[in-house]
Amino acid sequence: MTERWTPHATVATVIEHQGRFLMVKEVALGAEVINQPAGHVEQGETIVAAAVREALEETGWEVAVQGLVGLYIYTAPANGITYHRYCFCGSPVREVPDAQLDDGIVGPVWMTIEELRTSQYLRSPMVLTCVEDYLKGTRYPLSVIVEHP
């Protein structure tokens, strides 16, 4: 019997404030890398709720999701896993004092687009592509996502 291919459903958020983007320093495969607040969707969770939760767990910031930037598909060469990333955009609401961040998270960092474009430590090509698409004005209303109960 052939093993069934199963992509991993993930979410990410592009959060801009005063020309800087909320990013995450995290450890992946033993190296410190830069990513958007991002992670896997949990069973029973809506896509938007997952994006809000992941932003809080990885950065200590509450965010308001306002639109969908796009769906990005990437197969990581390190593990062969294909990720389907729903990338949202939104705004920061408030920083949560003493928030407990996920294991492997070094902490949040606000970066300019120039810093992102020149960084050699982006976790995947999706990181910069999502921000560049956001800067181009790519936005879809959240109503394009239909989740049946």
Side-chain angles (χ1 to χ4, degrees), residues 95-148:
E95 188 172 15
V96 176
D98 302 318
Q100 181 66 39
L101 303 182
D102 283 347
D103 288 343
I105 301 297
V106 176
V109 60
W110 290 90
M111 299 177 71
T112 66
I113 185 60
E114 292 78 19
E115 290 169 328
L116 289 169
R117 286 175 178 153
T118 59
S119 176
Q120 298 178 4
Y121 302 102
L122 301 182
R123 180 153 186 182
S124 79
M126 291 187 294
V127 175
L128 185 57
T129 303
C130 289
V131 176
E132 294 283 9
D133 287 351
Y134 166 83
L135 288 172
K136 288 178 198 170
T138 305
R139 308 277 194 292
Y140 300 95
L142 295 177
S143 62
V144 301
I145 302 167
V146 178
E147 296 194 50
H148 295 279

Side-chain angles (χ1 to χ4, degrees), residues 20-136:
R20 294 188 176 272
F21 296 92
L22 179 59
M23 306 303 289
V24 176
K25 281 189 182 182
E26 61 187 353
V27 177
L29 301 174
E32 198 171 286
V33 294
I34 300 292
N35 198 2
Q36 274 102 12
H40 287 81
V41 179
E42 295 179 359
Q43 185 173 358
E45 185 175 45
T46 68
I47 299 291
V48 172
V52 171
R53 176 186 53 76
E54 286 291 349
L56 180 59
E57 291 177 353
E58 294 197 349
T59 68
W61 278 85
E62 289 180 1
V63 301
V65 171
Q66 296 157 335
L68 178 70
V69 176
L71 174 62
Y72 301 83
I73 301 167
Y74 175 69
T75 301
N79 59 17
I81 294 175
T82 299
Y83 297 92
H84 285 208
R85 173 184 275 202
Y86 295 82
C87 185
F88 295 95
C89 60
S91 58
V93 174
R94 72 178 187 100
E95 188 172 15
V96 176
D98 302 318
Q100 181 66 39
L101 303 182
D102 283 347
D103 288 343
I105 301 297
V106 176
V109 60
W110 290 90
M111 299 177 71
T112 66
I113 185 60
E114 292 78 19
E115 290 169 328
L116 289 169
R117 286 175 178 153
T118 59
S119 176
Q120 298 178 4
Y121 302 102
L122 301 182
R123 180 153 186 182
S124 79
M126 291 187 294
V127 175
L128 185 57
T129 303
C130 289
V131 176
E132 294 283 9
D133 287 351
Y134 166 83
L135 288 172
K136 288 178 198 170

